[in-house]
């Protein structure tokens, strides 16, 4: 049993946070497009960002800010323009955005972090942003998480939000999160954005370590289409308003906090994978028997990212050979005679030898997932064992449908 419970409130569930989401005129659709998260006090800040050599201005800005000062009070996110590959002027727009938020909130601009999502190569519509910032500040609320979650999405079909609560030193501690992502999703920080709030007291160094490990076990273990974005950002704040004793070194309390942080990130990551553009189901790949966790996750990510595996799932074809082929090219050594593959409860390969199984029933299992309730009965489980070691890991993805091609063929038109 997990040592926490799910609660309502999203990113405003932890104490001392407000959020807002408004329509500022950044998206051509006229839908909400500007979100703000605000901590009533200075919060410890950590971040994990895209590894792409082509980084959005907001990513460069946040990396520099967090290197200089591991704290913040506000996160502003615009949707509609990625402000990536926009040159010097794009970075100047980012600096102006931080200054405008700082002035509106009456805090130093150095306490403002930024994120953007939208079309690459397009600068932020600064006139709309300038007029929108005072409005989004005025809209800040302790119940504003849903509005913020709705203002950061682009091609997403649903918003993504969660909040969990545990007890540390006999006091409740909460972590909340929101995320966006549907396409251009692949390990190495995926276009995905995720924002996490926490009211625990934790040292900056430890908080950054926790977040990096949680990212590896969640956002760096999902794939939709094999494309990593220019804007991927995971930013987490911890403001200490739970009034618990400070967590400054590894121990039982730090372990509990990191486990809950990982659970929040994994929920959001699975929601992103399930909401993959054109997807009909979530694919979860679990690999056991590997030399270590890293090796197991590498095999799992390769299988989850295989276009052939994803296409077979969409076609309700229990073609386990594609799973075996993907595992074999993952770059992780294992003995072929140890390989075992299961699709749901259907054992298809054992000790490297193919087995007879009910193909019609296996296909029906895939069809049922395609019509299952969202993030409840819509999971296709692929289980792979590669040996007798203790390394295990998971990855998540989605099937590859005709609709994915249509969405991305028309993205800017």
């Amino acid at each position: 049993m997990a040592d926490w419970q799910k609660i309502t409130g999203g990113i405003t569930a932890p104490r001392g946070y407000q959020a807002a989401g408004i329509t500022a005129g950044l998206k051509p659709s006229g839908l909400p497009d500007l979100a703000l998260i605000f901590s009533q006090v200075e919060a410890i800040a950590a971040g994990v960002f895209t590894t792409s050599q082509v980084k959005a201005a907001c990513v460069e800005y946040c990396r520099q800010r967090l290197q200089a000062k591991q704290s913040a009070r506000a996160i502003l996110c615009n949707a509609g323009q990625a402000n990536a590959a926009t040159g010097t002027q794009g970075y100047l727009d980012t600096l102006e955005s931080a200054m405008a938020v700082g002035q509106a909130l009456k805090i130093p601009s150095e306490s403002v972090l930024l994120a953007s999502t939208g079309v690459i190569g397009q600068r932020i519509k600064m006139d709309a942003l300038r007029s929108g910032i005072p409005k989004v500040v005025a809209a800040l609320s302790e119940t504003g998480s849903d509005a913020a979650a709705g203002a950061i999405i682009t091609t997403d079909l649903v918003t993504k939000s969660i909040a969990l609560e545990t007890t540390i030193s006999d006091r409740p501690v909460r972590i909340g999160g929101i995320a966006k992502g549907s396409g251009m999703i692949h390990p190495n920080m995926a276009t995905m954005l995720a924002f996490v709030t926490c009211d625990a007291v934790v040292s900056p160094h430890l908080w950054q370590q926790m977040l990096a490990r949680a990212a590896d076990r969640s956002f760096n273990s999902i794939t939709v289409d094999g494309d990593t974005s220019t804007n991927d950002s995971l930013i987490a704040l911890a403001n200490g308003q739970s009034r618990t004793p400070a967590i400054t070194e590894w121990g039982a309390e730090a372990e509990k906090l990191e486990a809950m942080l990982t659970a929040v990130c994994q929920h959001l990551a699975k929601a992103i994978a399930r909401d993959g553009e054109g997807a009909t189901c979530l694919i979860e790949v679990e690999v056991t028997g590997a030399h270590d966790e890293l090796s197991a996750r590498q095999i799992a990510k390769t299988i989850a990212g295989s276009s052939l595996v994803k296409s077979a799932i969409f076609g309700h074809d229990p073609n386990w050979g594609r799973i075996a082929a993907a595992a074999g090219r993952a770059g992780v050594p294992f003995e072929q005679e140890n390989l075992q593959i299961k699709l749901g409860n259907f054992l298809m390969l054992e000790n490297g030898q193919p087995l007879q199984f009910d193909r019609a029933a296996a296909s029906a299992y895939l069809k049922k997932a395609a019509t299952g309730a969202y993030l409840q009965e819509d999971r296709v489980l692929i289980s792979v064992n590669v040996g007798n070691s203790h390394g295990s890991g998971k990855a998540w993805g989605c099937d590859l449908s005709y609709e994915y091609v249509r969405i991305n063929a028309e993205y800017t038109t």
Side-chain angles (χ1 to χ4, degrees), residues 50-52 184-190 225-230 232:
T50 181
T51 59
S52 173
M184 201 177 281
I185 304 294
H186 194 61
N188 296 325
M189 285 305 296
D225 47 23
D227 277 294
T228 299
S229 171
T230 57
D232 299 329

Side-chain angles (χ1 to χ4, degrees), residues 22-35 77-81 117 122-130 132 151:
I22 66 163
T23 300
L26 297 165
K27 286 181 182 176
S29 64
L31 294 172
D33 49 24
L34 189 63
C77 179
N78 74 278
Q81 299 86 43
T117 183
Q122 292 187 5
R123 286 176 52 201
I124 300 171
K125 295 179 181 178
M126 291 305 293
D127 287 344
L129 189 76
R130 291 185 193 102

Side-chain angles (χ1 to χ4, degrees), residues 196-217:
V196 173
T197 57
C198 175
D199 53 18
V201 185
V202 58
S203 68
H205 180 68
L206 204 57
W207 188 232
Q208 179 64 51
Q209 287 183 331
M210 289 179 179
L211 189 68
R213 285 191 291 263
D216 280 341
R217 292 166 177 160

Side-chain angles (χ1 to χ4, degrees), residues 285 287 295-310 319-332 334 339 341 382 384 386:
V285 183
V287 175
S295 299
R297 284 209 313 267
Q298 181 61 33
I299 297 172
K301 287 189 287 187
T302 304
I303 296 170
S306 166
S307 294
L308 290 178
V309 172
K310 291 155 66 69
N319 188 345
W320 62 264
R322 293 181 175 180
I323 300 171
R329 67 174 173 84
V332 176
F334 63 85
L339 186 62
I341 295 175
I382 297 172
V384 176
V386 296

Side-chain angles (χ1 to χ4, degrees), residues 6-7 9-11 160-164 175-178 263-265 267-268:
K6 185 178 290 188
I7 58 174
I11 51 171
K160 301 158 182 72
S161 176
I162 189 172
L164 300 178
I175 299 180
I178 61 172
V264 165
C265 291
H267 174 90
L268 296 173

Side-chain angles (χ1 to χ4, degrees), residues 143-198:
T143 58
S145 180
D146 288 346
I152 67 175
I153 61 175
T154 50
T155 59
D156 306 54
L157 296 179
V158 297
T159 58
K160 301 158 182 72
S161 176
I162 189 172
L164 300 178
E165 180 182 275
T166 191
T167 301
I168 294 178
S169 298
D170 297 322
R171 293 186 64 85
V173 171
R174 299 171 180 173
I175 299 180
I178 61 172
K180 68 85 53 182
S182 187
M184 201 177 281
I185 304 294
H186 194 61
N188 296 325
M189 285 305 296
T191 308
M192 63 141 283
L193 302 175
F195 308 116
V196 173
T197 57
C198 175

Side-chain angles (χ1 to χ4, degrees), residues 113-397:
L113 298 175
L114 301 168
S116 300
T117 183
V119 180
I120 296 170
Q122 292 187 5
R123 286 176 52 201
I124 300 171
K125 295 179 181 178
M126 291 305 293
D127 287 344
L129 189 76
R130 291 185 193 102
S131 62
I133 286 173
K135 297 175 184 176
V136 75
V137 168
L140 283 170
S141 165
E142 293 180 355
T143 58
S145 180
D146 288 346
I152 67 175
I153 61 175
T154 50
T155 59
D156 306 54
L157 296 179
V158 297
T159 58
K160 301 158 182 72
S161 176
I162 189 172
L164 300 178
E165 180 182 275
T166 191
T167 301
I168 294 178
S169 298
D170 297 322
R171 293 186 64 85
V173 171
R174 299 171 180 173
I175 299 180
I178 61 172
K180 68 85 53 182
S182 187
M184 201 177 281
I185 304 294
H186 194 61
N188 296 325
M189 285 305 296
T191 308
M192 63 141 283
L193 302 175
F195 308 116
V196 173
T197 57
C198 175
D199 53 18
V201 185
V202 58
S203 68
H205 180 68
L206 204 57
W207 188 232
Q208 179 64 51
Q209 287 183 331
M210 289 179 179
L211 189 68
R213 285 191 291 263
D216 280 341
R217 292 166 177 160
S218 58
F219 300 112
N220 281 339
S221 294
I222 59 172
T223 182
V224 169
D225 47 23
D227 277 294
T228 299
S229 171
T230 57
N231 290 57
D232 299 329
S233 299
L234 166 61
I235 300 172
L237 304 179
N239 68 5
Q241 293 302 287
S242 64
R243 307 299 182 186
T244 52
I247 300 174
T248 58
E249 58 185 25
W250 188 250
E253 293 181 346
E255 185 176 352
K256 180 186 286 190
L257 187 66
E258 182 176 329
M260 190 164 72
L261 174 64
T262 301
V264 165
C265 291
Q266 285 185 342
H267 174 90
L268 296 173
K270 286 189 281 186
I272 289 172
R274 173 59 185 90
D275 199 28
E277 290 166 342
T280 67
C281 65
L282 175 72
I283 299 174
E284 180 175 306
V285 183
E286 182 175 18
V287 175
T288 57
H291 178 68
D292 51 31
E293 180 185 354
L294 186 63
S295 299
R297 284 209 313 267
Q298 181 61 33
I299 297 172
K301 287 189 287 187
T302 304
I303 296 170
S306 166
S307 294
L308 290 178
V309 172
K310 291 155 66 69
S311 298
I313 299 298
F314 174 70
H316 310 141
D317 179 9
N319 188 345
W320 62 264
R322 293 181 175 180
I323 300 171
R329 67 174 173 84
V332 176
F334 63 85
E335 298 299 327
Q336 182 171 327
E337 57 266 27
N338 291 331
L339 186 62
Q340 179 194 80
I341 295 175
K342 291 177 66 178
L343 179 65
N345 293 322
F346 298 92
L347 182 61
M348 299 173 166
L349 186 75
E350 178 75 30
N351 296 323
Q353 299 295 317
L355 302 177
Q356 294 294 323
F357 65 94
D358 189 333
R359 296 187 66 87
S363 180
Y365 167 72
L366 298 176
K367 291 178 182 177
K368 183 178 180 181
T371 59
Y374 181 78
L375 285 183
Q376 296 179 41
E377 301 167 340
D378 55 354
R379 181 190 67 160
V380 170
L381 177 60
I382 297 172
S383 303
V384 176
N385 184 275
V386 296
N388 299 314
S389 297
H390 298 293
S392 63
K394 292 182 180 181
W396 297 272

